[in-house]
Amino acid sequence: MKQLLATAALGLLLSACQVVGPDYKLPDKAAVNRGDLQGQIAGEGNNVVSAPVPADWWKLYKDPRLDELVRQAMASNTDLRVAAANLQRARFQTQQAESAGGWSLGAKAEAQRLQESGEAFLLTEKVPVGNIGSVGITTSYQFDLFGTLQRGIESAQASADAAQAAADIARITLVADVVRSYTQVCAANEELAIANESLDLQAQSTKLTQRLRDAGRGDETQVTRSQTQYKSLRADMPRYQALRQAGLFRLSMLLAKPVDQLPAGTGTCAELPHIAQLLPVGDGAALLKRRPDVRQAERQLAAATARIGVATGALYPDISIGATVGTVGLLDDLGTAPTNRWGFGPMISWTVPTNGARARVHEAEAATQGALAHFDGVVLNAIRETQTGLAQYTAQLQRRDALAEAGESAKEAAGQTHRFFQAGRASFLADLQATRTYTDVRAQLAAANTQVAMSQIDLFLALGGGWESGRTHASQPGKP
């Protein structure tokens, strides 16, 4: 009884020991705490508003076909399946860390026909051959003396959180790729239609130039120049068709299904997805909380900090309390008093630390400094990507607006020239040229609209929204 009480007292004493290694705390000097990164990220007049970024930003386009593409991609994309498998593995690693230490139980039973060595028992004669058996049950409780196991759990949990953030990164990247590919298909179809109009107009211009030449009112140089322009326009047609097919093939890969099984109308979409409101971009503080790569880097820093404690704990002994109950002897006598055995008491194991063990502590400390530097870099890059995306989006909008004004002027000029032609005050060739000029500006405007749409997607990707809607209770059991 005295030994039992002494062992229990030792356990209570050990449980009160200090946890080794530093407790994780976000450093005050971390870039994420900088005040200049917390405020607004967009000024006035940039066609954006500091409103919260919606979780499902692609629904701002109000395009049911696009919504269906995203939904199917979320359900079957191979990158998301890989990310989900990595997350599940990280969670099992956490369970493994949580099950380390504490109580353990073992059982063993064996039987054998045995010839023991007589000299092993200080006998000169031969020991008889016998049927020997043993049955035993052992149990032990390992005390987390210096919190080494606790630090291991903290590291595993932080790594699992980082894996969750990686899955969120894969999700927002997937959404952006789906929207971008769909936009590419729509843009290619729209630009192809305008290019066909330009080609038809150039064909009419070439025929008219040939008739004027045949009538003696033109020369061969004008005909050759017109034919060259026609051939140049015709040579550009496959480019739009290739862009359309590339977009469809990309969607096929993202949704993991054949092109002919994509939602109806995907391949014939001829109008760009359009957001009829100011883009919500939030502020810097919300951005840094929302972006999963920032959260991933912060969790990696937490895991690296916990690993310092794991490495430090290896310098100290492990103490546990164990008990054994069993029976060993001749098979016929198993379970009788002479064969029964039991034991109870503390067990101490300690590997004397070497220079290599201490070097591992310093290695973990250096890894933590590297993780902090990486975290700061991710934070600064998040702000840079967002500011760059805003600048590019603003520039593309300005270019599109300028081309829209040019398009209005070209349209007005084409209308005036056509009225003059109807009144006999302008030639048919001049009418064709004015219409072709207007069509060329329309083509430039269509390309500019495509660039604006792509810039919107890049901006939403930089803002880091979209992963919230993709989470399900199946992918994150036990959490809301």
Side-chain angles (χ1 to χ4, degrees):
M1 182 60 67
K2 291 181 179 179
Q3 183 182 12
L4 177 61
L5 293 175
T7 303
L10 176 62
L12 292 175
L13 177 64
L14 295 178
S15 64
C17 288
Q18 179 67 33
V19 178
V20 293
D23 292 329
Y24 174 69
K25 177 185 176 183
L26 191 63
D28 294 335
K29 295 183 178 180
V32 72
N33 293 326
R34 280 175 43 178
D36 61 310
L37 303 182
Q38 306 296 321
Q40 290 188 350
I41 57 178
E44 298 295 332
N46 289 332
N47 293 281
V48 297
V49 60
S50 295
V53 178
D56 45 3
W57 57 266
W58 59 92
K59 292 185 179 180
L60 295 175
Y61 291 104
K62 300 185 183 304
D63 189 330
R65 187 184 299 118
L66 177 58
D67 295 342
E68 179 62 16
L69 286 169
V70 172
R71 187 195 67 78
Q72 292 187 20
M74 288 284 196
S76 58
N77 180 256
T78 55
D79 289 339
L80 291 191
R81 288 164 54 195
V82 171
N86 291 337
L87 176 58
Q88 195 69 11
R89 181 180 64 179
R91 287 174 177 164
F92 284 129
Q93 289 173 342
T94 301
Q95 293 179 11
Q96 180 181 354
E98 291 173 343
S99 63
W103 288 105
S104 62
L105 179 67
K108 181 180 180 180
E110 65 176 336
Q112 57 182 328
R113 185 164 181 78
L114 181 64
Q115 169 68 70
E116 285 282 11
S117 167
E119 290 190 354
F121 296 96
L122 302 180
L123 300 175
T124 58
E125 65 273 13
K126 180 180 178 182
V127 177
V129 177
N131 297 321
I132 305 298
S134 67
V135 178
I137 297 176
T138 60
T139 183
S140 65
Y141 183 88
Q142 181 180 356
F143 293 98
D144 193 8
L145 178 58
F146 297 103
T148 305
L149 300 179
Q150 178 59 35
R151 294 304 190 198
I153 293 173
E154 292 174 4
S155 176
Q157 289 175 339
S159 296
D161 292 340
Q164 176 67 73
D168 295 339
I169 293 172
R171 192 171 291 111
I172 65 173
T173 302
L174 169 65
V175 171
D177 284 346
V178 169
V179 179
R180 186 180 291 111
S181 299
Y182 178 67
T183 300
Q184 179 177 324
V185 172
C186 299
N189 285 332
E190 182 181 9
E191 294 180 30
L192 179 61
I194 296 175
N196 278 322
E197 290 183 26
S198 296
L199 189 64
D200 290 341
L201 290 171
Q202 186 60 40
Q204 295 180 43
S205 177
T206 300
K207 291 179 180 178
L208 179 59
T209 304
Q210 290 173 337
R211 287 199 298 269
L212 291 174
R213 178 203 59 189
D214 296 340
R217 298 171 56 188
D219 55 40
E220 190 65 29
T221 302
Q222 294 175 334
V223 174
T224 302
R225 186 183 301 116
S226 182
Q227 289 174 337
T228 301
Q229 182 68 19
Y230 174 81
K231 293 176 181 178
S232 177
L233 291 173
R234 186 177 60 183
D236 211 29
M237 304 298 284
R239 179 172 65 89
Y240 301 111
Q241 297 169 349
L243 285 172
R244 173 183 174 276
Q245 290 303 112
L248 290 173
F249 293 149
R250 179 70 175 169
L251 286 173
S252 172
M253 185 273 292
L254 294 173
L255 274 65
K257 57 180 54 182
V259 172
D260 58 4
Q261 294 183 17
L262 295 176
T266 300
T268 58
C269 164
E271 183 178 353
L272 283 176
H274 177 66
I275 298 179
Q277 67 176 71
L278 297 178
L279 297 190
V281 298
D283 57 24
L287 167 70
L288 297 179
K289 291 180 181 179
R290 182 176 56 250
R291 282 198 38 148
D293 58 337
V294 173
R295 181 160 31 89
Q296 179 189 36
E298 187 273 334
R299 291 287 81 200
Q300 289 172 340
L301 173 60
T305 303
R307 283 193 286 269
I308 296 177
V310 175
T312 304
L315 304 177
Y316 300 95
D318 293 329
I319 295 182
S320 59
I321 296 176
T324 301
V325 178
T327 177
V328 180
L330 296 174
L331 289 178
D332 294 339
D333 298 332
L334 287 183
T336 62
T339 64
N340 293 339
R341 58 189 296 270
W342 63 270
F344 175 79
M347 295 174 285
I348 300 177
S349 63
W350 185 36
T351 301
V352 178
T354 62
N355 292 334
R358 298 186 184 278
R360 282 190 286 273
V361 176
H362 298 314
E363 177 187 0
E365 292 172 343
T368 301
Q369 292 301 314
L372 175 58
H374 173 69
F375 177 41
D376 288 343
V378 171
V379 169
L380 296 174
N381 184 65
I383 299 296
R384 179 199 64 81
E385 285 185 348
T386 304
Q387 291 174 336
T388 300
L390 281 168
Q392 291 178 342
Y393 178 60
T394 301
Q396 295 295 347
L397 282 175
Q398 292 173 346
R399 181 174 182 271
R400 185 201 59 186
D401 292 343
L403 284 172
E405 292 180 2
E408 290 298 324
S409 298
K411 181 179 180 180
E412 183 178 354
Q416 291 175 346
T417 305
H418 185 66
R419 288 192 295 271
F420 288 158
F421 167 70
Q422 290 178 325
R425 298 172 55 189
S427 66
F428 179 59
L429 182 58
D431 186 25
L432 279 177
Q433 289 174 338
T435 304
R436 189 179 62 194
T437 299
Y438 171 52
T439 305
D440 291 342
V441 176
R442 282 179 56 204
Q444 295 180 47
L445 180 59
N449 282 325
T450 301
Q451 293 173 341
V452 168
M454 294 299 185
S455 293
Q456 285 179 346
I457 299 168
D458 293 339
L459 180 55
F460 277 120
L461 180 60
L463 292 171
W467 54 267
E468 303 96 330
S469 296
R471 285 197 185 180
T472 63
H473 293 288
S475 65
Q476 194 167 1
K479 294 186 180 182

